Amino acid sequence: MPHRSCDRWRGPCKAVKQSPDVARSCPSFSRVLPLTVPEPSRQAILDFIEEERAAGREVGRREIAKAFGLDQGGKIWLKRLLREMEQEGEIGGDGAQRPVHPRNALPPVLLCEIKTRDRDGDLVAQPLEWDEADQGAPPRILIETPRAARRKPRAAGPAPGVGDQVLLKLTRLRGVEAFAYSGHVLKVMGKAKAAVLGIFRALPDGSGRLVPIDKKAQGREAIIPKGRTGEAQDGDLVSVSLRRETRFGPPEAQVRERLGSLKSERAVSLIAIHAHGIPHEFQPATLKEAAAAPHATLAGREDWRALPLVTIDPADAKDHDDAVHAAPDEAPDNPGGFVVTVAIADVAGYVTPGSALDREALERGNSVYFPDRVVPMLPERISNDLCSLRELEDRPALAVRLVLKADGSKKSHSFHRVLMRSAAKLSYQQAQAAIDGSPDEKTGPIRESILMPLWAAYGVAARARDQRQPLELDLPERKLILKADGSVDRVIVPERLAAHKLIEEFMILANVAAAETLEKAGSLLIYRCHDEPSLEKMRALGEVLASIGIKLPKDGVLQPVLFNRILATIKGSENETLINEVVLRTQAQAEYVAENYGHFGLNLRRYAHFTSPIRRYADLIVHRALIAALKFGEDGLRKATTLAELREVSTRISAAERRAMAAERETTDRLIAHFLADQIGSSFDGRIGGVNKAGLFVKLDGTGADGFIPASTLGADYYRYDEAAHALTGERTGESWRLGDRVHVKLVEAAPVAGALRFELLSAGRKVATGGARRRGGATFGESRPGLPFGRTSKPGGGRGAGKPGKKRR
């Protein structure tokens, strides 16, 4: 007989003939009912997914089938439906290996910035990290104002305001045209900055004016009256507070701090540090804790000081957080196998939960690496001394011993808390030269006993890596070589050595082992995850490939090997650079999360960062989790730690990572612009590195400098932007410029403070059929966007992989 709906997700159920396949426990009744349930609609499934995610629960096929009471046949139908919904762009994830989530939906907890108030006075926020070029207009989020905050503002904590960064718990709004989400404020992460950065320009009467460094504020100068200029000199970078704004004329300001002269690199990096709000001075309590920290002893540790572990890092590295060793496995059941040991600095022994060191490390999230300075996550006493695995000095470490089979697969692994002593400090170049048969005085004595076994073990590990087939992109990274005064001497592209790959592969193995151990122990942890490309980006890639005669398969499971085959097909051709760039832009951004969905680029089901706790807070959390799970001490992850807390930490450190990447990239751009400022009028060769309706972005050969060519300067034609082909094409002449094309340009303007270069195109474009410019995504162009130097829009792409020199972000 029919009965009322069991829950809000299903329609009315009807009792039917007994069948074990369809029996389920009905939440509205105390008995088990044999039920047959109509297939739920797509919208009902999407509603369920969003509701569960908002409650902090992962959703897969099993959860959906259980909620809707599907029988075995229904589960098969659901598997097919979820695959169709994923292919059509409605959801991400397959519900089996990767949790399901609505496509383009924001996560349940997100770091946002309050942008404005609406006409009713309510606060309106947007995601802090949002790429309009790739993702379109950012969603508007209506900030909820709790009743308690209205009655007793102090009782609700600091009240958020325009310009603040806030951690929000989001709820999807339906039927509300103006807003996509509502947001409940969990925490105010940072108040709006009261200071404004700019360049001080002295005036004859003793006053001055402020030229802002923010691109969006170009042309809006402030007046600094006489007596309020402090110690600022003409051309200095200064921090000012705006004292008075009037309806007419520029605002008045007062110099708060002279940050330095722009003639030095220190001031150039300070622009990025202050512009992005990167903490760069440690609090007194933090420094006091660091100064009082003692050297580690053997108490509670295994003695591994006799094991000849070695560090292999960039030649200019100051902190050494990983050491490695390898030897053939002598076990008779593992012929051809190796025992690889990876030892990582034991930062958790010094940075305990809730301490001043811990609070400041979380605030920073990671170390930031500029061309001639490092803004460390931890004070030098910890990062460069007590925890750095210095040569021939006793240091605490958390180590993993990996037993590899002859085919490279892992037989077993075990974690240990140890006291170690590095046998040698080597650079990548030293290690590579020794492996190639040209050792120096340091590497000669250890070549056969230490370095060659490491090389042999890497050869074994590489077999499993090749079998796994992670994503292989060939995109060189530039490095600035500075003079003694901090200015740029030259720009180089360091050679990618086998020694780099050796260390990288061993670190990946250790990271996987950490994630596996913690999952097996049922412990909470922070994962490093990387989603597969979105359907929209795959379609765009398919259109680019079609333009050069390559067909992108439409069916089958999306895996990195697909991209590797594409890159192998075009290797050595004129389109190699173009396709590498497009494949890079097709990829999603890696992030830290408390709930795993795998790492697409590495082709791994589970992955966590374990190997760099000196410079990444995520690794410190993983160390603490291992210490607690394996009962290595009392300084592990607290038992009271919740999933919600780790979600918040993951959101904060992911935002800090993106902040660091942007600051590093902008500083490099400013230094390069300063380096080229004396070469106005010179011509250069390069490639088109980006195309949008406003013009062309060009990357120069050699320096890797990025500059802009406004569409209005391309010629006397009507140019259309072809989004699918990444091209600008003249309707009358058919002259076209496409992403990846070789060009010859002249430098006509440089703005070092903004890090901007403007070029003039000297070479001709390729010819296409007249009228062949596609209509998609474009109208006329040639106009400049106001508010940005040279009409420049945000630079597409860039920044992926930035991090500690010589070590890739994964």
Side-chain angles (χ1 to χ4, degrees):
M1 58 180 292
H3 62 77
R4 60 189 175 87
S5 175
C6 293
D7 57 59
R8 58 178 160 159
W9 303 116
R10 299 190 292 103
C13 303
K14 294 183 178 180
V16 294
K17 191 185 300 182
Q18 282 277 0
S19 171
D21 290 336
V22 298
R24 68 182 285 267
S25 178
C26 177
S28 299
F29 296 84
S30 59
R31 63 187 185 279
V32 174
L33 298 176
L35 304 173
T36 294
V37 181
E39 295 170 350
S41 67
R42 292 190 176 200
Q43 189 58 54
I45 291 175
L46 288 172
D47 289 344
F48 173 71
I49 293 170
E50 288 194 359
E51 184 73 15
E52 291 296 286
R53 279 170 52 84
R57 294 186 286 268
E58 286 190 354
V59 183
R61 284 207 306 262
R62 179 184 301 175
E63 288 75 21
I64 297 173
K66 183 178 180 180
F68 291 93
L70 300 179
D71 59 14
Q72 192 60 36
K75 292 176 182 177
I76 296 173
W77 167 86
L78 178 63
K79 180 180 179 180
R80 184 169 58 251
L81 177 67
L82 292 179
R83 186 183 302 119
E84 290 175 359
M85 292 174 72
E86 183 181 21
Q87 291 173 349
E88 293 172 13
E90 287 188 88
I91 61 172
D94 57 8
Q97 296 180 2
R98 292 174 291 109
V100 178
H101 57 87
R103 180 69 73 184
N104 296 327
L106 299 179
V109 178
L110 185 66
L111 190 62
C112 300
E113 182 178 0
I114 299 176
K115 291 290 189 180
T116 186
R117 291 183 182 270
D118 65 6
R119 65 181 61 182
D120 298 322
D122 292 321
L123 295 171
V124 180
Q126 294 177 2
L128 184 64
E129 298 295 332
W130 190 268
D131 187 344
E132 291 192 40
D134 286 342
Q135 300 171 274
R140 286 163 53 86
I141 303 167
L142 177 64
I143 301 294
E144 299 174 359
T145 304
R147 292 180 181 177
R150 292 170 183 158
R151 293 195 305 266
K152 299 179 180 179
R154 292 183 181 177
V162 174
D164 291 353
Q165 293 182 11
V166 291
L167 193 68
L168 299 180
K169 181 177 181 180
L170 302 180
T171 302
R172 192 70 174 262
L173 296 177
R174 298 192 179 281
V176 181
E177 190 171 323
F179 298 99
Y181 295 85
S182 67
H184 171 69
V185 178
L186 298 177
K187 183 179 292 187
V188 178
M189 307 303 298
K191 301 296 290 180
K193 296 189 288 290
V196 175
L197 290 183
I199 308 304
F200 177 79
R201 295 300 180 190
L203 298 176
D205 63 356
S207 64
R209 58 188 178 90
L210 182 82
V211 181
I213 57 96
D214 187 350
K215 295 177 182 178
K216 296 179 182 179
Q218 291 295 308
R220 299 201 295 272
E221 298 183 355
I223 295 298
I224 304 174
K226 184 177 180 180
R228 295 179 181 172
T229 60
E231 299 179 356
Q233 303 294 318
D234 187 70
D236 282 351
L237 174 67
V238 294
S239 169
V240 306
S241 55
L242 298 179
R243 297 177 57 85
R244 181 167 60 88
E245 293 195 48
T246 60
R247 181 174 298 180
F248 304 103
E252 285 189 5
Q254 178 173 348
V255 173
R256 295 175 53 179
E257 184 180 4
R258 177 181 177 272
L259 301 175
S261 171
L262 279 189
K263 296 178 181 179
S264 71
E265 190 277 340
R266 177 177 170 80
V268 175
S269 59
L270 275 176
I271 294 176
I273 288 170
H274 286 274
H276 290 276
I278 296 173
H280 66 290
E281 294 180 354
F282 287 103
Q283 298 296 319
T286 304
L287 295 173
K288 184 178 179 181
E289 279 189 5
H295 282 274
T297 66
L298 264 175
R301 302 179 183 277
E302 300 175 42
D303 190 349
W304 281 25
R305 288 175 290 182
L307 185 68
L309 291 149
V310 297
T311 62
I312 305 177
D313 288 297
D316 56 355
K318 294 181 179 179
D319 56 72
H320 307 279
D321 46 18
D322 57 81
V324 292
H325 177 268
D329 189 4
E330 297 179 356
D333 63 342
N334 191 26
F338 276 84
V339 178
V340 174
T341 302
V342 178
I344 305 299
D346 189 357
V347 177
Y350 293 99
V351 185
T352 55
S355 64
L357 280 165
D358 181 49
R359 291 192 299 271
E360 189 143 4
L362 174 57
E363 179 70 20
R364 294 176 179 230
N366 49 253
S367 297
V368 188
Y369 293 86
F370 295 107
D372 83 332
R373 77 156 72 192
V374 176
V375 179
M377 185 180 79
L378 297 167
E380 287 192 12
R381 166 73 171 160
I382 302 294
S383 61
N384 290 3
D385 184 2
L386 296 177
C387 286
S388 185
L389 305 182
R390 291 180 172 181
E391 186 177 37
L392 303 179
E393 295 186 23
D394 294 354
R395 287 293 183 270
L398 202 58
V400 58
R401 183 170 279 158
L402 305 149
V403 180
L404 305 182
K405 299 179 183 178
D407 63 357
S409 61
K410 184 168 57 112
K411 182 181 179 184
S412 64
H413 72 263
S414 59
F415 281 88
H416 308 262
R417 205 170 194 186
V418 306
L419 191 70
M420 59 157 284
R421 182 180 296 164
S422 171
K425 167 192 162 185
L426 305 177
S427 69
Y428 287 113
Q429 291 74 18
Q430 272 183 300
Q432 189 65 55
I435 290 169
D436 292 341
S438 301
D440 58 19
E441 292 181 358
K442 177 177 281 190
T443 56
I446 62 173
R447 181 179 185 270
E448 296 301 325
S449 59
I450 297 177
L451 294 179
M452 295 315 293
L454 276 171
W455 180 246
Y458 167 64
V460 166
R463 295 171 193 163
R465 182 184 188 279
D466 293 342
Q467 184 70 25
R468 191 177 82 241
Q469 296 194 44
L471 181 62
E472 298 280 5
L473 282 171
D474 184 16
L475 292 168
E477 297 181 10
R478 58 182 170 169
K479 180 178 180 180
L480 305 187
I481 305 299
L482 303 181
K483 300 176 183 177
D485 63 0
S487 60
V488 177
D489 180 39
R490 64 188 187 280
V491 183
I492 64 171
V493 177
E495 183 182 1
R496 178 99 165 118
L497 302 174
H500 289 103
K501 299 177 183 178
L502 180 153
I503 294 299
E504 183 177 314
E505 190 59 32
F506 288 168
M507 297 305 110
I508 290 173
L509 291 174
N511 288 336
V512 172
E516 290 176 347
T517 296
L518 292 173
E519 280 195 355
K520 185 177 180 180
S523 171
L524 295 174
L525 72 146
I526 290 179
Y527 294 91
R528 178 66 167 180
C529 289
H530 178 226
D531 207 354
E532 65 182 27
S534 67
L535 182 68
E536 294 81 3
K537 290 189 176 183
M538 288 301 296
R539 286 173 176 162
L541 173 63
E543 290 175 332
V544 174
L545 293 175
S547 71
I548 60 172
I550 298 177
K551 186 176 181 181
L552 183 68
K554 294 184 178 179
D555 299 322
V557 179
L558 188 59
Q559 293 181 332
V561 65
L562 169 66
F563 297 103
N564 292 340
R565 288 171 181 163
I566 292 169
L567 296 173
T569 300
I570 53 86
K571 190 171 182 63
S573 72
E574 64 174 352
N575 295 308
E576 181 177 3
T577 301
L578 163 67
I579 300 304
N580 267 276
E581 289 282 353
V582 174
V583 168
L584 173 65
R585 295 176 191 185
T586 301
Q587 305 309 310
Q589 178 78 55
E591 63 178 345
Y592 294 110
V593 294
E595 294 149 309
N596 183 39
Y597 61 83
H599 198 295
F600 177 80
L602 292 176
N603 201 14
L604 292 169
R605 292 188 177 182
R606 56 191 61 82
Y607 191 64
H609 273 169
F610 159 75
T611 54
S612 295
I614 287 177
R615 61 188 178 94
R616 293 188 305 225
Y617 194 81
D619 304 54
L620 178 56
I621 292 291
V622 170
H623 276 233
R624 288 174 179 166
L626 288 167
I627 291 167
L630 301 176
K631 297 179 172 55
F632 282 159
E634 300 300 319
D635 46 1
L637 197 65
R638 290 172 173 170
K639 291 183 179 179
T641 302
T642 65
L643 181 61
E645 289 174 341
L646 289 191
R647 283 199 194 104
E648 178 184 329
V649 171
S650 300
T651 300
R652 292 180 66 177
I653 60 180
S654 292
E657 179 187 38
R658 286 162 175 73
R659 176 182 68 186
M661 292 167 65
E664 292 164 356
R665 182 174 64 248
E666 289 173 12
T667 298
T668 298
D669 287 345
R670 289 186 175 105
L671 282 168
I672 291 289
H674 193 277
F675 177 61
L676 295 176
D678 295 334
Q679 302 183 50
I680 302 294
S682 299
S683 59
F684 304 89
D685 291 319
R687 285 185 182 274
I688 296 176
V691 182
N692 64 22
K693 60 185 179 182
L696 307 174
F697 294 91
V698 174
K699 182 180 289 291
L700 301 185
D701 295 345
T703 63
D706 294 295
F708 187 64
I709 303 175
S712 57
T713 67
L714 292 178
D717 204 342
Y718 183 85
Y719 287 91
R720 285 195 172 273
Y721 171 48
D722 186 343
E723 185 178 1
H726 296 270
L728 276 177
T729 304
E731 285 202 340
R732 181 175 56 81
T733 62
E735 193 170 25
S736 178
W737 290 273
R738 189 180 67 178
L739 181 70
D741 282 353
R742 298 286 306 172
V743 291
H744 191 62
V745 299
K746 181 173 74 173
L747 178 62
V748 295
E749 193 172 352
V753 173
L757 301 171
R758 183 166 66 87
F759 297 126
E760 179 183 297
L761 195 60
L762 300 180
S763 54
R766 63 178 70 214
K767 292 289 185 179
V768 298
T770 304
R774 305 185 190 186
R775 304 274 172 170
R776 179 179 305 165
T780 18
F781 313 113
E783 75 273 16
S784 296
R785 178 182 290 188
L788 296 179
F790 317 138
R792 162 177 192 156
T793 63
S794 58
K795 188 187 306 177
R800 298 181 196 272
K804 182 177 181 180
K807 303 211 175 183
K808 288 182 176 284
R809 275 196 175 103
R810 291 285 188 180

